[in-house]
Amino acid sequence: MASTSALQAQVGPSGQRWAAFLAQIGERAKSAEGFLVQGSLTRMVGLTLEATGCTTSVGGRCLVSAADGSKVEAEVVGFSEGRVFLMPTDDLHGITPGAPVIPSRQVFSVQAGNALLGRVLDGAGQPLDNAGPLVCEDQVRLIPKPMNPLDRAPITQALDVGIRCINGLLTVGRGQRLGLFAPSGVGKSMLLGMMTRFTEADVIVVGLIGERGREVQEFVSNCLDESARRKAVVVATPADYPPLMRVHGALLATSIAEYFRDKGCQVLLLMDSLTRFAQAHREIALAIGELPATKGYPASVFARLPQLVERAGTGGANGGTITGFYTVLTEIDDSNDPVADSARAILDGHIVLSRRLAESGLYPAIDIEKSISRTIQSIITPQHAEMIRKFRELNGVYQENRDLITIGAYASGSDSRVDNAISHWPHMLEYLRQNDRVSVPFDQSLLDLGQLFSTSASVEEG
């Protein structure tokens, strides 16, 4: 092969200029990111759009042109044999056959910063509260890279949630993820409101996913007092939003919580509800042809749940944490539905609300017998653990014999364990009951738990 100097001598000055020009074009072509090829809409079934002629990646953003010139944003959720499946984030009115589909190289991201505090957003990060535009200094992705599990700090500190029975009997650790399992109408919203007002946290992030639209205004007005509202961010995607927007609402709430955790804040994340998040994913998966597996839920739904939940928890060396409470709706009071069963396996504990207790007038209607905190042994003292053991034992004995006691069939003195449980029961009920506007700090919760047994013992002796 001829050397460069010999080649230049053969082509002359004019040829050298052309060779330099072609080399420059070649370098530019190597460094180019590629052309954006516009596709066209070929099919629409339900909320699923099919496009051909464009190449983009799963999770990428596309703009679909409507007949009036407006653009509908959509996300790529799958592809097959040259077709791309998209799910819109907005209304599809005005979309026509053959509509241009313009891909972009961007993924969904939103603004993040201290300006979010006190605001109410939708799943796209746009304000819903008519309090002016958002001006934030940073951007966060809806789906970041997973955190190295070895970078997480252990859970060693108790979190004061201001609710006596949770502080005393189901002690929560900073960075723990718990499920709040509840059927409808048993005080779930009341309990979430108590947590927002009473929990010791630097930032509160609330995700209202797939719930009734009226609940957004009620939660902001009734559940958040003035001090809580100043440090809270509410992300609301009600049930009438497209399924992709409901999914984005849960992802956005978690991304905001991660942003503040990475700044060293103690974050309280309340997600209402994990069940609606799973149902939105079910709608998307079934729409693109995935086969149902368990009670209509495709297998991919159960892979999405841990991907969302695992983003909460403790952070790295900066000391930031996300303590997450995820509500799980037990439909028709069936606590063994597939979403509840999967959530119970991936969370660090669960708090069960009982319809029976709610109907008896006990609020919060927490069923201590069915509830558990899996990190409790690493954050409480041996003395505290002994009091919890004694409370659970007495509660279990009373519940086993409740029917006999209620109808008067139990004869006093027949069983010393039952007699002991009966003498303690009124004080135990009083310990579980709490006014939703009165906070009980952690230390007071432990003091009340200790006095419960000493008071009952003195009454028994007398």
Side-chain angles (χ1 to χ4, degrees), residues 86-98:
L86 305 109
M87 193 66 63
T89 62
D90 208 343
D91 187 70
L92 288 173
H93 282 92
I95 299 297
T96 60

Side-chain angles (χ1 to χ4, degrees), residues 13-26:
S14 178
Q16 292 175 19
R17 287 195 295 272
W18 272 107
F21 175 74
L22 292 174
Q24 185 178 13
I25 294 296

Side-chain angles (χ1 to χ4, degrees), residues 6 23 41 58 83 126 131 152 197 246 259-260 291 302 335 426:
L41 192 65
V58 173
R83 297 170 297 159
Q126 299 301 314
R152 292 188 183 274
R197 293 190 297 272
R246 282 177 263 147
Y259 173 82
F260 286 106
L291 296 177
F302 303 105
S335 59

Side-chain angles (χ1 to χ4, degrees), residues 435-447:
N435 188 305
D436 66 333
R437 293 293 170 179
V438 178
S439 172
V440 181
F442 186 82
D443 291 340
Q444 185 63 45
S445 301
L446 298 190
L447 183 61

Side-chain angles (χ1 to χ4, degrees), residues 14-235:
S14 178
Q16 292 175 19
R17 287 195 295 272
W18 272 107
F21 175 74
L22 292 174
Q24 185 178 13
I25 294 296
E27 291 299 322
R28 288 183 178 181
K30 291 179 182 178
S31 62
E33 295 184 3
F35 297 100
L36 291 176
V37 180
Q38 177 178 298
S40 60
L41 192 65
T42 58
R43 188 167 181 257
M44 172 182 169
V45 178
L47 291 176
T48 308
L49 306 177
E50 292 185 15
T52 59
C54 59
T55 302
T56 184
S57 60
V58 173
R61 300 168 65 180
C62 293
L63 296 176
V64 183
S65 299
D68 59 0
S70 62
K71 307 289 185 184
V72 176
E73 196 170 43
E75 179 179 317
V76 178
V77 294
F79 54 85
S80 174
E81 299 177 349
R83 297 170 297 159
V84 175
F85 303 135
L86 305 109
M87 193 66 63
T89 62
D90 208 343
D91 187 70
L92 288 173
H93 282 92
I95 299 297
T96 60
V101 178
I102 307 168
S104 72
R105 297 188 182 95
Q106 298 178 338
V107 295
F108 282 88
S109 61
V110 292
Q111 298 183 74
N114 291 333
L116 292 176
L117 300 178
R119 304 300 300 269
V120 182
L121 316 174
D122 65 10
Q126 299 301 314
L128 293 174
D129 51 12
N130 300 318
L134 280 173
V135 181
C136 297
E137 59 272 19
D138 297 314
Q139 289 272 336
V140 293
R141 295 182 54 173
L142 291 184
I143 305 179
K145 292 182 179 180
M147 185 175 180
N148 186 339
L150 296 181
D151 290 340
R152 292 188 183 274
I155 298 174
T156 57
Q157 291 183 313
L159 176 69
D160 184 1
V161 298
I163 302 171
R164 179 166 46 216
C165 60
I166 296 180
N167 281 341
L169 303 172
L170 302 167
T171 310
V172 178
R174 293 188 181 274
Q176 189 173 351
R177 292 83 52 92
L178 287 102
L180 188 59
F181 291 71
S184 60
V186 297
K188 170 175 58 69
S189 298
M190 182 192 75
L191 187 59
L192 291 178
M194 293 173 71
M195 290 180 181
T196 59
R197 293 190 297 272
F198 303 153
T199 302
E200 289 185 346
D202 301 320
V203 176
I204 300 169
V205 182
V206 182
L208 302 176
I209 312 302
E211 301 298 323
R212 292 178 288 272
R214 67 170 178 80
E215 292 182 336
V216 178
Q217 177 63 31
E218 289 179 359
F219 189 91
V220 173
S221 301
N222 302 333
C223 296
L224 293 175
D225 58 20
E226 190 62 34
S227 61
R229 194 172 299 142
R230 285 195 296 268
K231 60 181 181 180
V233 184
V234 178
V235 179

Side-chain angles (χ1 to χ4, degrees), residues 209-369:
I209 312 302
E211 301 298 323
R212 292 178 288 272
R214 67 170 178 80
E215 292 182 336
V216 178
Q217 177 63 31
E218 289 179 359
F219 189 91
V220 173
S221 301
N222 302 333
C223 296
L224 293 175
D225 58 20
E226 190 62 34
S227 61
R229 194 172 299 142
R230 285 195 296 268
K231 60 181 181 180
V233 184
V234 178
V235 179
T237 52
D240 59 340
Y241 278 43
L244 184 63
M245 187 63 79
R246 282 177 263 147
V247 170
H248 281 187
L251 299 176
L252 173 58
T254 307
S255 294
I256 293 173
E258 288 176 320
Y259 173 82
F260 286 106
R261 177 191 63 188
D262 294 342
K263 289 186 171 296
C265 296
Q266 306 300 321
V267 182
L268 174 67
L269 172 62
L270 303 176
M271 188 75 69
D272 186 16
S273 67
L274 198 63
T275 303
R276 304 299 187 206
F277 171 79
Q279 291 173 346
H281 259 302
R282 177 175 63 182
E283 292 180 46
I284 296 172
L286 293 178
I288 63 176
E290 189 176 349
L291 296 177
T294 306
K295 291 192 176 181
Y297 286 97
S300 63
V301 172
F302 303 105
R304 299 291 186 184
L305 292 177
Q307 290 175 359
L308 176 71
V309 171
E310 281 296 320
R311 292 171 60 182
T314 56
N318 62 8
T321 64
I322 301 174
T323 305
F325 287 88
Y326 300 84
T327 65
V328 181
L329 305 178
T330 50
E331 299 179 1
I332 321 179
D333 293 359
D334 178 14
S335 59
N336 292 317
D337 72 62
V339 174
D341 203 39
S342 178
R344 196 180 293 108
I346 61 178
L347 291 167
D348 300 326
H350 48 270
I351 298 172
V352 179
L353 299 186
S354 166
R355 185 178 300 280
R356 176 181 60 81
L357 294 177
E359 290 173 348
S360 70
L362 178 67
Y363 285 97
I366 297 176
D367 191 333
I368 298 298
E369 199 171 18

